[in-house]
Structures are given as structure tokens and as C-alpha cells.
Amino acid sequence: NMFPRELDGAEVLFYTDKADFGELEEEGKEARAIAYLAIAQKPGDPACYLMLCDADYCVIADHSFPAVEWCKTMAGMRYPDIVWHEMGK
């Protein structure tokens, strides 16, 4: 998999395979399909970010949580069958 190691300046820790995670609709904008989920951490920031990405690995939205496990739990509530892959060093 050629998943990027970095998204929006944050180091990717975990990511999913490409899948249909629905769409994100923002008022006044066209709905964008969510193709990947990622968990990433920004340098010097203790928070972890659950990132919703399109098919080109562009971050559509992100949500900040205190830890990786929180990201996984929150994502799992909406998408129960997620398989996470750890980003190799």
C-alpha cells in the first residue's frame, strides 16, 4: 500500500484500506466521498487526529482525540468493521 506517511503535516500512525465510508456533506458544498480513515499525530501535539480522507488521500475533515484508542473507538462506533493497518517505520 502506498498510503502517505504524512497528512496535513501530521505523521500517520494507522490507516485503513480504501472503502466506502459514506460522504461528508458541508453546507453550501458538494458532498465528498470518504475513501480512507487515518489516525495521525502532529509534531509537539499530544492529541491524535482521526482523519477522513478522499480517494486522493486529501483530508476532508479531522477530529481530535486524546489518544489513538479513542480515535479507534470513535471510528468503530460509526464504522464497526474497520481493519486498521499500522504504518511501518
Side-chain angles (χ1 to χ4, degrees):
N1 193 335
M2 296 302 296
F3 201 92
R5 293 184 168 276
E6 196 176 280
L7 294 169
D8 286 2
E11 180 188 354
V12 174
L13 306 175
F14 294 90
Y15 61 92
T16 64
D17 291 325
K18 188 173 184 180
D20 179 4
F21 291 107
E23 292 185 332
L24 184 71
E25 294 186 45
E26 293 180 89
E27 198 172 323
K29 293 184 179 177
E30 195 174 322
R32 294 173 68 185
I34 303 164
Y36 298 97
L37 302 180
I39 299 171
Q41 200 166 23
K42 296 177 182 175
D45 185 345
C48 290
Y49 292 84
L50 176 61
M51 296 183 165
L52 313 180
C53 304
D54 67 15
D56 297 319
Y57 308 107
C58 295
V59 177
I60 301 170
D62 65 34
H63 305 281
S64 172
F65 296 102
V68 168
E69 290 310 315
W70 283 52
C71 291
K72 289 183 176 181
T73 299
M74 296 309 285
M77 291 170 125
R78 183 156 184 191
Y79 314 107
D81 299 323
I82 293 175
V83 175
W84 291 104
H85 302 289
E86 189 166 3
M87 180 62 75
K89 294 294 175 205

